[in-house]
Amino acid sequence: MTYLKPLFRHPKLPKNKLGYTLKEYEGTISTLCAGCGHDSISATIVQACFELSIEPHLVAKISGIGCSSKTPAYFLGNSHGFNSVHGRMPSVATGANLANKNMVYFGVSGDGDTASIGMGQFVHVIRRNLNMVYIVMNNGCYGLTKGQDSATADVGSASKSGHINPFQPVDLASLAVELGATFVAQSFSGDKQQLVPLIKAAIQHKGLAFINVMSPCVTFNNNPGSTKSYDYVREHMQATGTLDFVPEREAIKAEYAAGTDTAVSLHDGTVMRLHKLAPEWNPEDRLSAVNAMQQARAKNEILTGLLYINTEFGDLHDILKTSEGAFNTLGEKALCPGEEQLQAINASLR
Ligand SMILES: Cc1ncc(C[n+]2csc(CCOP(=O)(O)OP(=O)(O)O)c2C)c(N)n1
Ligand code: SF4
């Protein structure tokens, strides 16, 4: 549903640990088509950041070009934002992240933005394990330019004009696992219950957290014969499990039956508890994740939930051994370490 915000707010709106209400996490009124899946994803990002009590000014939203890439204007209005160039979100986000590692980064993209013009950037930002939540709002078409098939459109899928797509799709989630992504999830814009904990877990994950969200385009790709319509996605969703996100230092209250649950500890002490529906699938085993995705694809199912996680691998800053703190906090001594250091560097290069 289009995210309309009345100016009036109930005086007793719930507050989070920082004393903020949801209002502090909202953006401007959306100009997307009423019913666009992208608006629902914006609302889940608002909810996840509110629930995690994230300081809005410590969030940076970077996007490419497309209806999906417009959404950062519609959430977290008190955060930093950069609407960059088509397909170039990852490199802009990499620059920002290297300059200041102490922020939460959201990279927002579309299937056109990522799976075609931005494919090279997608591949390399995964290799580098940039600490960022990378969300693709996947509608199988180029919404902003009036609905042409994108590279994620399924073969045989029909567009609104009746055109049948003859090409094989790019499966972004499988590709991300193949490329070594350390957090890969898939969800549906219409499943807030699943998407909110997934986004919370992605924010807490140290490294690149990729979430491919089916997000129907009601104007150009919601027709019978489309495999990215609301009806089709609802009918073909298959969850790997349900996710419970347990913030740091909060007591775990529920216990799941043995053999059907698993707990994954993240770097900061938070815990993800997964109630598994697919017994043979292990989210910490890459091969098992790949198998589960291949099997789902063979049955024309869309596998949702957390598909794969690896908490062992360091992020880009760990790999490069960068200095502590943001660039703008480095003092003169760190920036200009003196003649002796310079001579040592020069000597090491001779
Ligand atoms: C370099 C460049 N090439 C092409 C375009 C035209 N263009 C704008 S948005 C877009 C695709 C958007 O599709 P997607 O990323 O799937 O986002 P959606 O609008 O569906 O959310 C294209 C091809 C552009 N803006 N810049
Ligand atoms: S054209 Fe499609 S993707 Fe763009 S705002 Fe409208 S429904 Fe959403």
Side-chain angles (χ1 to χ4, degrees):
M1 205 183 85
T2 300
Y3 202 51
L4 294 175
K5 289 173 283 293
L7 290 176
F8 173 77
R9 293 293 192 288
H10 193 283
K12 291 199 176 140
L13 272 184
K15 292 186 174 163
N16 64 14
K17 282 184 199 154
L18 297 172
Y20 298 148
T21 65
L22 269 180
K23 187 173 178 288
E24 274 73 41
Y25 295 87
E26 292 172 352
T28 60
I29 287 178
S30 172
T31 59
L32 301 185
C33 308
C36 177
H38 301 353
D39 278 332
S40 307
I41 302 174
S42 298
T44 59
I45 294 173
V46 166
Q47 186 70 32
C49 291
F50 165 77
E51 287 181 15
L52 281 182
S53 297
I54 288 176
E55 273 291 1
H57 74 279
L58 295 180
V59 176
K61 313 161 289 179
I62 326 269
S63 60
I65 296 291
C67 299
S68 34
S69 292
K70 284 171 68 179
T71 60
Y74 315 135
F75 62 83
L76 299 173
N78 294 315
S79 303
H80 305 270
F82 196 112
N83 189 193
S84 72
V85 182
H86 200 18
R88 270 60 168 187
M89 174 276 286
S91 50
V92 177
T94 303
N97 186 301
L98 282 174
N100 188 350
K101 60 170 123 177
N102 300 323
M103 314 250 308
V104 172
Y105 288 89
F106 281 102
V108 179
S109 182
D111 42 302
D113 194 66
T114 284
S116 286
I117 195 168
M119 182 53 98
Q121 301 241 336
F122 173 70
V123 168
H124 292 285
V125 80
I126 287 178
R127 279 181 60 234
R128 291 171 182 155
N129 205 24
L130 191 74
N131 192 15
M132 168 172 85
V133 181
Y134 189 141
I135 296 180
V136 167
M137 302 183 175
N138 192 342
N139 53 21
C141 72
Y142 293 177
L144 192 69
T145 52
K146 304 216 178 299
Q148 300 86 350
D149 285 342
S150 79
T152 65
D154 289 306
V155 63
S157 170
S159 71
K160 193 178 171 184
S161 66
H163 171 73
I164 307 291
N165 173 44
F167 302 112
Q168 292 291 334
V170 170
D171 180 346
L172 288 171
S174 298
L175 192 56
V177 173
E178 177 61 33
L179 290 165
T182 51
F183 181 116
V184 179
Q186 203 151 248
S187 194
F188 170 42
S189 61
D191 190 351
K192 197 172 175 182
Q193 225 179 344
Q194 182 188 60
L195 197 48
V196 171
L198 272 180
I199 292 176
K200 284 162 78 174
I203 291 171
Q204 299 299 119
H205 175 71
K206 192 178 180 203
L208 193 120
F210 176 65
I211 313 181
N212 183 36
V213 190
M214 302 304 149
S215 178
C217 168
V218 285
T219 303
F220 297 112
N221 205 14
N222 197 34
N223 47 287
S226 160
T227 58
K228 296 283 191 290
S229 66
Y230 277 110
D231 284 349
Y232 187 94
V233 177
R234 272 197 201 104
E235 281 161 21
H236 293 81
M237 264 175 69
Q238 188 65 44
T240 49
T242 53
L243 195 125
D244 214 6
F245 186 78
V246 185
E248 196 177 6
R249 289 181 292 277
E250 209 166 277
I252 296 171
K253 293 179 192 121
E255 280 304 327
Y256 292 121
T260 61
D261 73 296
T262 184
V264 181
S265 300
L266 302 179
H267 286 86
D268 63 350
T270 50
V271 177
M272 274 193 308
R273 290 168 58 76
L274 288 151
H275 182 56
K276 296 203 292 175
L277 299 176
E280 70 288 352
W281 156 81
N282 172 6
E284 293 181 277
D285 179 64
R286 208 160 144 185
L287 205 58
S288 152
V290 171
N291 277 341
M293 282 189 270
Q294 295 290 344
Q295 280 168 16
R297 201 180 328 164
K299 288 189 267 177
N300 283 333
E301 283 170 352
I302 303 164
L303 204 60
T304 64
L306 178 71
L307 306 179
Y308 176 67
I309 184 161
N310 175 347
T311 56
E312 306 295 314
F313 207 77
D315 81 334
L316 183 60
H317 287 279
D318 296 329
I319 298 167
L320 296 179
K321 298 188 176 54
T322 59
S323 58
E324 286 303 317
F327 280 180
N328 66 357
T329 60
L330 297 180
E332 198 185 332
K333 198 158 184 290
L335 291 170
C336 187
E339 177 71 13
E340 225 171 89
Q341 291 278 346
L342 183 65
Q343 292 304 339
I345 292 169
N346 285 344
S348 75
L349 297 172
R350 281 192 192 108

